[in-house]
Amino acid sequence: MLKQIYRIIILIIIFIASLYYFSKDIKEVVFDIDNTTTMEETTFPLVTLRTEGRNINLLRGYSSNLDANSIREALLPIGSDQTYELIIDQKDYDIKKLNFELREFSQNELIEKGSVSVFDEDGNQKVARINLDSALIKDREYAVKITLITSESKKMYFYHRIKKHDTTNLVDKLDFVMEFHHAIKDKDKAEDYKRYLEPDGKKDNTSLAKVDIHSSFDLITWGNLKPEFITNVIPTVVENYTDMGSIVLDYIVRANVSGIPELYRVKEYYRIRYSSDRMYLLNYERRMEALFDIDLASVSKSQLKLGITNDPTTEHLSSPDKMKFAFVRSKELWYYSLDENEIVKVFSFRQEDTDYIRDIYDQHDIKILNMDAEGNLDFMVYGYMNRGQYEGRVALVMYEYIQSQGRIEEKVYIPLDEPYQTLKENLGAFAYVNSLDVFYFHIYNSIYSYDLITRQITELADNTRKEDIVVFYDEGYVAWQESSNPWEANNIMIMDIETGEIQMVHAETGYKILLLDKIDSNLIYGYVSEDDITVQIDGAIISPMSRIEIASTEMNVIKPYYREGYFITGLEVKDNTIELFRATEQIIDGRKIFTASTNDYIMNHSVAKTPYLSITTRITEDALTEYYLQLPSGFVMEEVPEKLITVNTVISEDPTLRLSKNKHNIMKEDASKTNYNMYYAYIQGELEGSYYEAAEAIAIADNGVGVVLDSSFKLVWERGIKANRYVISRFEDLELSATDSTIDGCIRLLAKYLGKNLDKISFDLEKTSAYEILINHLDVQPISLTGVTLDQVLYHVSMGRPVIAITGHRDAVLIYGFDAYNIFMIDPKQGKTIRMGIQDSTQLFEKTGNVFISYLSQ
């Protein structure tokens, strides 16, 4: 017994001694508040282009080596001498060498490269002269990449487009724009330019946020605002033709409308036409956005001033107790504690010693991901990084804001290989960080799960487009269609974003399941028979659903919808109503045809929610309409909130996460081989949006006088350069014979025009689309132009590309020319060329839905 007692006592002594010994080597990990830093200020040079004695196109530098043809913000028109100059404002660097590359815009193929190591100097500026030796094709765009190399061998990249003209008329266009810009600062001087305006008495003239050629003279001349112009105005040429041009002015002004100077970012857009006797102002637009300033808060009304703006919508997220919230304004992230009446600028590229050029460059955005009860935030910054350790890079960076310590900590850095303009289109809306430190995000049609602790990444979904995902943040769920390809859509996945647990809604045997939308906290999905999924003659895939269901995220069906003889081809959710687009089925010549029928509606009874923050307006004599953000009901602002700023945590672990190599490029290559291409509509030098249907992008570009590119940056369409008459003469001299297989005949005629003989190949157009035949047998990228107008499709003809136009279920003609009155076509059924009046042609094609097929230039 005593031995056992002694043994226990000895073990206790050994245990205590061990604790003492080993505790000396166990260091307590405590965050050191001194281990922080502030974001480094901007350092990169600025480059301006000089041609014909005019300085244009202020370019920002990139650390990322991007494809030269991926950036479209500036065009340099040059003359037949093919020379121009670069003015380099070196800033913090000593530039020793300049390399340049000239590339084909559509294929990005290298044409010419060279270097400059001898510069003219003017203070801190260096001037390089570039002389292009390659014979450029007139009126064709090329991509140029400029590489600046410093004395420390650091490389920075600058990008622009170039186009050669016999005569640019650029000086006259620039002079007109700058004279107009300066004249409208003074109402007396502006009288000379009244003749260029087109005032519309019905137009609302109560806001300075958006002014255009139809606005009142008083509004165009700044009303009573009296702005002070605080940055130099360097014009950016975004499009140019011999007679027409589009030019943008981007600058900062200051105005005192409330006793405190307020800053505004202003962009002016000009579209002009040159003639030898006068200039024509085709379009003028000025957009104005106030830069957020907390000192302008309205204490008496407990409101934050948003000021003059085109978009008062303010992304925000509140804590569970509703006493804290974060919001994004002017590309800055703010955190507001109502209890303490304290506001924190969590993230901003804007610096105290600002030049209003580099640090507030607007090619990035911020998304709030999550906020916990203590006010800690997860958020991400994506796009061009204006300053800091990633200055000049394009990336997605995810941060955590630790509220109690007033610091932000970088969690993930994802380098990306495309500019912000296209990145924002390829980045999905779903992004979240849960309580287990798992970061979910959707990019390039893939959903990723990234464990911030183990640094392990998992691809949860591939080939899932933005439109095939719905998110229920309040309920804690996300749902997605297994594949955006309807033939592969066997399941809908429903994931709990806190636990990561995934449930599935399965398609029944012989059916596919399509995720359509959401209403309140419920899913809307539909079932389509595999036999009903149909490829149209233009390659479009139709998925008519025989039944749809509204179900909870727990997979409980709340309401099914089925009507005998009707199919649902799509739907739209408006407030509490689901509008169903329906069709009926016909079999014509062995092919299933779904014809549009009457719409139907499903009413949903939901309780309207009171918004946490609301928007209100005020109208003043000087600023006219201004917006304010009304703080939550019950909160009374006693004084302007105290303003704090965060510091950055110095981290020792590399946070870099690289996505699958060339994921973005793979997506582009896949698009070029299928009918899932993306079409980008650019208006006034900026990307207006991306679309899966060329017709949608063309409609947007036509309305905004812009251009359309595809995923490979091939030019699809541009407004305003279609000739008045154009005929592809080779079709006039062909020997033609009549055939009843008119679509087949058009395909063979098009192939022959492109140098391919398909006479020995037979096609079954009941099983194969014309689009599929073209993509399999021709060395061009076909394009479905279904839905465009006849006038829009004639652009392709004017570019020397004939167009197949469907005139019936089995019939087509080939458009090969036009003039002011007629359309020139080959009708294979008659075996001859014909001319038809434009009005009659328009009606003929509209009857069959304006179904057109052509191809893109190589």
Side-chain angles (χ1 to χ4, degrees), residues 256-269:
N256 194 331
V257 296
S258 60
I260 299 175
E262 301 183 35
L263 292 171
Y264 305 88
R265 180 174 213 125
V266 182
K267 289 188 179 182
E268 291 183 60
Y269 305 91

Side-chain angles (χ1 to χ4, degrees), residues 702 717 722 788-796 838 842 852:
D702 195 6
W717 188 90
K722 177 174 70 67
V788 304
T789 65
L790 176 59
D791 183 66
Q792 290 166 345
V793 87
L794 291 181
Y795 163 83
H796 287 265
I838 287 181
T842 299
F852 302 110

Side-chain angles (χ1 to χ4, degrees), residues 534 585-593 764-768 809-810:
T534 306
E585 180 188 20
Q586 293 176 279
I587 306 295
I588 300 178
D589 295 327
R591 181 184 286 271
K592 282 190 178 182
I593 302 295
D764 185 353
L765 286 168
E766 292 182 6
K767 298 180 179 178
T768 308
H809 296 301
R810 291 179 62 89

Side-chain angles (χ1 to χ4, degrees), residues 79-111:
S80 56
D81 62 352
Q82 300 189 169
T83 63
Y84 66 100
E85 294 177 320
L86 286 90
I87 303 169
I88 306 166
D89 186 351
Q90 299 181 100
K91 299 300 183 184
D92 294 356
Y93 291 97
D94 179 19
I95 304 302
K96 291 297 185 182
K97 188 177 181 181
L98 178 154
N99 294 333
F100 67 87
E101 293 179 358
L102 175 70
R103 294 179 175 272
E104 285 278 1
F105 197 83
S106 61
Q107 300 296 324
N108 204 36
E109 293 177 357
L110 181 65
I111 299 172

